[in-house]
Amino acid sequence: MNKIKDLKWGVTTAAYQTEGAYDKDEKGLSIWDTFTQKSHKIKDRSNARIATDFYHRFEEDIDLAVDIGLQIFRFSISWSRIFPEGVGVVNPKGIKFYDKVINYCLKVGIEPWVTTYHWDLPQKLQDKGGWTNRDVINWYSGYVTVLRDHFADRVKHWVLINEGIVCVGAGYFLGVHAPGKRGIRNFVSSTHHLLLAQAEGFKILKERTGLQVGTAISCTKIEPYRNTTADHKAAIRIDTLMNRLFIEPHLGLGYPDNDFPVLKRISKYYKKGDIEALKTDFDFWGIQTYAREVVKAAWYIPYLGAIQVKPKKRNVKTSVMGWETYPEGAQYFLERFAKYNPKKALWLSECGMALSKKEDDQIRIEYYQKIIEGMKTVLDKNINLKGILLWTLVDNFEWAEGYIPKFGIISLDRKTMQRQMKKSAFWLKKYLSNIKL
Ligand code: BGC
């Protein structure tokens, strides 16, 4: 089994949050390009038309990752760069861009990992219903086939869909992320289609030998507020929704709708063979975790019957995201995943904390030190943890929060586009060089 020094370290990034060049080289618009046009949806009324300008500065960013000693560079591909219309004609300039990123990684000795989908659906597909339209399974399959045919000769690790629950929960239920849709019907239909699409994507990639194909799951520790049956039941419902819905159907356990009966509504969208088709034996699971939430029963909240007791109300400090930062969650979820299957390879494929512009970066260092302590315990318990990917390299566009939260270990001056390593980047560089000795 792995020891802490055997873990691989890397970083995770995402196309929309970093690339910019939103309409360059025949790229089509994505749902985030259109969503951010309604500027009131974004806290600082910003958008990611330029973002960190990764499109033009990827070499510099990859060099920085290498300099810190990271071994993996995980980035996502923008679907609308490859297929400006979502389907149909492939854009050679889109392929060329990702060829350059992948080749550069290989040249400087960092392993490229691809996420096929990190929330930026082509707008043209959203015009046809997006994830609520069952045709998305075919659209996504066509897209993944093209990615496989162009990049699988050099990319060995693939993450299919990043955090399905956030994609459909924030985008199709709460409407706070693109495409800004709300409601239970949008939610249940897009959940089912996204999971089916992911299962198809897995099969398509696995037609090639030698690939490691997995998914990345958002995990949030949920606890009841009071020690009452009602609050415990509320916590079970929310935990089922946030931490099981996007896992158990792939494990062949079906939808966890006994513990959250609202999910029975998904069955309206079942076709024959669907539950079987969802079963997917991923090569690895990516666990991504940031925060803890405490919930209490609330009969007046539709569908959920639960409400979050905000950290402030519990006298708990929050990060600039308004979250209770919870590095302990990494250990908790790795242990929980290992119970599903003790042999399966696990990655901590995102962890990190946001600071405001004014906060001292020492706080981030302490956060990562706690993560490392947790991982030592996990390894002592013989859990098959392979490595840790940080969120994230350079401060970037944090979705509905705009540029206010700073998740990077490298800062960005948005006027000059200059990057500068923060204290945490220097700390990590030192840690990584010592640990390998
Ligand atoms: C997402 C990232 C996001 C980060 C912080 C993760 O859930 O994958 O895109 O920036 O959380 O909110």
Side-chain angles (χ1 to χ4, degrees), residues 247-254 278-280 282 285 340-341 344:
I247 301 160
E248 295 185 7
H250 286 317
L251 292 174
L253 301 171
L278 286 170
K279 281 193 200 165
T280 306
F282 294 118
W285 290 92
Y340 282 128
N341 176 353
K344 188 60 69 185

Side-chain angles (χ1 to χ4, degrees), residues 17 118-119 162-163 290 321 323 350 391 398-399 407:
Q17 294 177 274
H118 201 127
W119 311 349
N162 185 73
E163 298 191 350
Y290 294 86
M321 292 294 285
W323 296 346
E350 272 187 31
W391 185 269
E398 177 51 35
W399 309 112
F407 272 101

Side-chain angles (χ1 to χ4, degrees), residues 180-291:
K181 301 289 175 204
R182 288 169 195 253
I184 196 73
R185 253 183 278 147
N186 285 324
F187 177 73
V188 293
S189 57
S190 45
T191 294
H192 191 52
H193 301 147
L194 186 141
L195 286 165
L196 284 167
Q198 178 156 261
E200 270 311 298
F202 178 80
K203 289 184 199 121
I204 292 165
L205 284 166
K206 291 303 279 185
E207 280 166 20
R208 284 285 168 89
T209 49
L211 303 189
Q212 288 288 303
V213 185
T215 183
I217 300 290
S218 160
C219 300
T220 307
K221 177 84 187 297
I222 304 294
E223 284 174 17
Y225 184 46
R226 295 160 299 206
N227 192 14
T228 61
T229 311
D231 282 8
H232 275 280
K233 283 190 175 163
I236 289 174
R237 285 195 295 281
I238 302 301
D239 179 68
T240 305
L241 176 72
M242 310 261 287
N243 301 318
R244 294 170 58 198
L245 176 59
F246 283 79
I247 301 160
E248 295 185 7
H250 286 317
L251 292 174
L253 301 171
Y255 283 105
D257 48 13
N258 284 334
D259 285 330
F260 186 28
V262 166
L263 299 177
K264 291 196 193 301
R265 294 173 189 231
I266 301 177
S267 63
K268 208 177 139 204
Y269 298 89
Y270 291 176
K271 290 211 169 148
K272 202 162 167 261
D274 276 5
I275 294 299
E276 193 54 33
L278 286 170
K279 281 193 200 165
T280 306
D281 190 16
F282 294 118
D283 297 313
F284 64 89
W285 290 92
I287 288 152
Q288 322 206 134
T289 189
Y290 294 86

Side-chain angles (χ1 to χ4, degrees), residues 16-17 31-33 35-48 118-119 166-167 169-171 174-180 182 320-323 354 391 396-407:
Y16 187 72
Q17 294 177 274
I31 53 175
W32 272 95
D33 291 314
F35 187 73
T36 50
Q37 281 166 8
K38 301 170 203 141
S39 62
H40 63 280
K41 298 273 189 189
I42 311 300
K43 219 177 209 165
D44 58 2
R45 304 197 163 239
S46 61
N47 58 50
H118 201 127
W119 311 349
V166 181
C167 171
L174 300 173
V176 295
H177 277 188
R182 288 169 195 253
V320 61
M321 292 294 285
W323 296 346
W391 185 269
N396 64 24
F397 178 77
E398 177 51 35
W399 309 112
E401 307 298 312
Y403 294 94
I404 300 167
K406 313 281 178 199
F407 272 101

Side-chain angles (χ1 to χ4, degrees), residues 29 31 79 83-87 121-133 135-136 139-140 143 172:
L29 293 184
I31 53 175
W79 188 335
F83 281 110
E85 306 277 322
V87 289
L121 192 74
Q123 179 60 42
K124 289 276 175 166
L125 299 182
Q126 184 53 40
D127 296 342
K128 298 179 193 155
W131 291 101
T132 67
N133 183 340
D135 290 346
V136 73
W139 305 332
Y140 178 72
Y143 163 62
Y172 287 84

